[in-house]
Amino acid sequence: KFDNENPYKYYEKDEAKKIVSSLFKKPSQPTVKVLKSERPNIVLIVLESFTAELVGSLGGEQGVTPNIDNLAAEGILFEQVYAAAGRTDKGITATISGFPSQAIRSIIKQNAKHEKLPGIAQELALNSYSTSFYYGGESEFFNIKSYILSHGYKTIVDKHSFKSKDMNSKWGTYDQKVFSKQMKDMDTVKQPFFSTILTLTNHEPFELPVKNHFPGDNLENKFRSTTFYTDSCLGAYLKEARQKPWYKNTLFVILADHSHRLPANLAEHDPRRYRIPLLFFGNMIKPEFRGTRISKTGNQTDLVATLLNQLNIDPIRYNWSKDLLNPGTQSFSFFNWDNGFGFATENQIISFDNVGKNIILRKNSPNAKVDNELVLYGKAYMQEVFQQYLDY
């Protein structure tokens, strides 16, 4: 099942390496420091299936994510961020290990390989953070538990920590209960803490413990309603967190594990299917940076380098991650699906079909030089990621 041939072999090994490293040239200037302290508490909130298409502050539909939109006005919003791929297992390793998706493979499922990946909680545990991971569902799903426990998280809270009466959705406990439990637990853990919450309600079959906000039985409105619900749980959580003594020392990082085909039923190769919110929020942000919008094109894999540089921890182990707050890093993103990839820069986004070996979608009108360059980058990226996966 897991053979050792790289199906994405476009260039000589050294050439592919060279092309990729040209994208990650180390900037000469230091990053912009936006935090008041280098050792804040950090709460990383990974939202299931949040698409930029439904986030008003990102130009999506208005009225579906009012809480995120309010937070964006007080935080730092990254406007052009893409998920690594279209599934939770790939989104988790992209977020925590800064490792891109391998298209037809998922490294999280293979212990011998995923254990060789670095992980953000490992760096923080070495810097005296207490670490925890919260998920209302089955943490064995997609082998997530094995990955989390081998990547620096000391405590894992999943469906087994909740009362059976609260296990009332297909996937486990509704988001509100998970947010509440994490908040209560943070009152007693040693600071600084790094705590990750992975939500689950915004997932098929889109069931809710409350009345649907958007009426009708169509999938699109069910999806809007579960998005609205998770957004409201997030809003309630942060409102309550403001009363906590630990709040003033805490940075909240909000992003999605991946985007979604709904509500517009987007094709798998449509770049809009990969665009997600990424938001830094909280009292730890220096006042002059609140309400900032960062237009650099990036990926969820860039979170690790961006965050670690703020903490003055060297992100040297994360060679696929770039600092979105450093003006000197290049503006680009790479995402993929089973038989193709997308590559985005500030002036163009292309989707490339690996079967037909051609561009199947462009955001802007064709420009041979630009198109060829993005295809070159995308192919080398795809080849290198898969090669690294094989070599682990």
Side-chain angles (χ1 to χ4, degrees):
K1 185 181 168 198
F2 296 110
D3 48 14
N4 284 318
E5 240 342 271
N6 189 339
Y8 309 106
K9 207 160 164 7
Y10 297 104
Y11 307 110
E12 289 305 315
K13 262 189 182 178
D14 289 349
E15 194 185 349
K17 263 192 171 54
K18 212 167 104 189
I19 295 166
V20 170
S21 59
S22 76
L23 289 165
F24 289 97
K25 280 200 289 279
K26 209 170 162 51
S28 50
Q29 67 263 64
T31 192
V32 176
K33 291 289 183 105
V34 300
L35 302 182
K36 294 177 186 168
S37 138
E38 287 182 347
R39 290 293 173 268
N41 300 316
I42 301 164
V43 178
L44 168 61
I45 300 168
V46 183
L47 301 171
E48 169 67 51
S49 301
F50 257 61
T51 167
E53 297 288 292
L54 290 182
V55 178
S57 46
L58 290 172
E61 288 183 23
Q62 296 295 323
V64 187
T65 59
N67 291 287
I68 286 181
D69 297 335
N70 289 338
L71 299 173
E74 294 177 57
I76 298 173
L77 181 66
F78 298 84
E79 298 177 315
Q80 298 298 333
V81 169
Y82 292 82
R87 289 208 323 250
T88 303
D89 52 327
K90 297 176 176 216
I92 289 288
T93 44
T95 300
I96 292 165
S97 295
F99 193 61
S101 155
Q102 315 90 62
I104 53 173
R105 294 282 180 268
S106 183
I107 194 169
I108 202 170
K109 294 176 182 173
Q110 292 169 274
N111 292 353
K113 287 189 185 293
H114 80 55
E115 281 165 6
K116 296 186 176 124
L117 290 175
I120 193 168
Q122 292 169 338
E123 318 299 334
L124 297 178
L126 289 172
N127 284 276
S128 18
Y129 274 76
S130 27
T131 55
S132 56
F133 188 93
Y134 287 75
Y135 177 57
E138 186 65 73
S139 63
E140 284 82 5
F141 185 62
F142 275 143
N143 206 29
I144 286 174
K145 186 176 190 173
S146 150
Y147 168 77
I148 290 302
L149 291 176
S150 59
H151 283 82
Y153 286 97
K154 293 290 180 287
T155 308
I156 186 165
V157 170
D158 65 5
K159 66 186 268 187
H160 304 296
S161 312
F162 295 91
K163 297 188 173 82
S164 54
K165 70 174 172 63
D166 293 331
M167 300 298 300
N168 41 10
S169 88
K170 178 182 179 220
W171 293 100
T173 312
Y174 286 112
D175 295 346
Q176 182 195 351
K177 300 280 180 194
V178 181
F179 276 120
S180 293
K181 175 154 183 55
Q182 188 270 356
M183 174 169 314
K184 195 161 167 277
D185 291 355
M186 290 311 105
D187 288 344
T188 54
V189 303
K190 184 174 82 57
Q191 299 186 50
F193 56 73
F194 172 61
S195 185
T196 300
I197 302 171
L198 173 61
T199 72
L200 59 68
T201 305
N202 195 31
H203 192 297
E204 273 106 343
F206 309 124
E207 303 167 309
L208 281 176
V210 293
K211 196 165 169 281
N212 281 7
H213 183 77
F214 296 91
D217 225 14
N218 60 67
L219 266 187
E220 294 77 12
N221 271 359
K222 283 177 142 181
F223 178 63
R224 287 184 180 96
S225 291
T226 49
T227 302
F228 181 86
Y229 165 80
T230 297
D231 175 79
S232 70
C233 293
L234 174 67
Y237 167 81
L238 286 166
K239 187 178 174 193
E240 197 182 325
R242 287 175 200 255
Q243 312 308 314
K244 300 288 186 182
W246 48 261
Y247 176 81
K248 64 180 187 303
N249 303 322
T250 304
L251 171 72
F252 298 89
V253 176
I254 299 158
L255 90 165
D257 59 347
H258 53 82
S259 183
H260 207 278
R261 63 184 174 83
L262 292 171
N265 233 337
L266 302 169
E268 194 169 40
H269 61 265
D270 192 319
R272 291 175 300 161
R273 189 168 166 164
Y274 298 89
R275 192 168 154 239
I276 56 171
L278 168 59
L279 174 67
F280 284 13
F281 176 79
N283 210 45
M284 279 315 294
I285 296 172
K286 294 174 184 168
E288 64 267 31
F289 291 107
R290 293 178 196 168
T292 308
R293 297 172 79 101
I294 307 289
S295 62
K296 180 170 294 210
T297 304
N299 191 279
Q300 71 191 147
T301 46
D302 296 331
L303 174 65
V304 188
T306 306
L307 197 51
L308 290 180
N309 280 335
Q310 291 298 313
L311 310 179
N312 223 3
I313 298 170
D314 192 343
I316 190 159
R317 299 203 296 155
Y318 303 84
N319 55 342
W320 294 100
S321 191
K322 66 178 185 291
D323 184 346
L324 297 175
L325 289 168
N326 189 316
T329 54
Q330 293 201 58
S331 188
F332 70 88
S333 184
F334 170 88
F335 49 90
N336 62 23
W337 53 96
D338 275 5
N339 47 22
F341 62 78
F343 204 91
T345 62
E346 281 179 12
N347 345 328
Q348 181 63 295
I349 307 174
I350 57 143
S351 293
F352 183 86
D353 174 38
N354 200 45
V355 180
K357 308 284 185 226
N358 62 336
I359 294 177
I360 44 177
L361 191 147
R362 286 177 186 82
K363 184 174 185 209
N364 299 320
S365 51
N367 170 328
K369 184 177 176 291
V370 172
D371 292 355
N372 291 339
E373 189 176 49
L374 299 197
V375 169
L376 172 95
Y377 287 145
K379 284 177 171 176
Y381 215 94
M382 193 64 247
Q383 178 176 332
E384 263 298 274
V385 169
F386 206 88
Q387 196 53 52
Q388 208 171 340
Y389 155 81
L390 289 177
D391 294 344
Y392 273 139

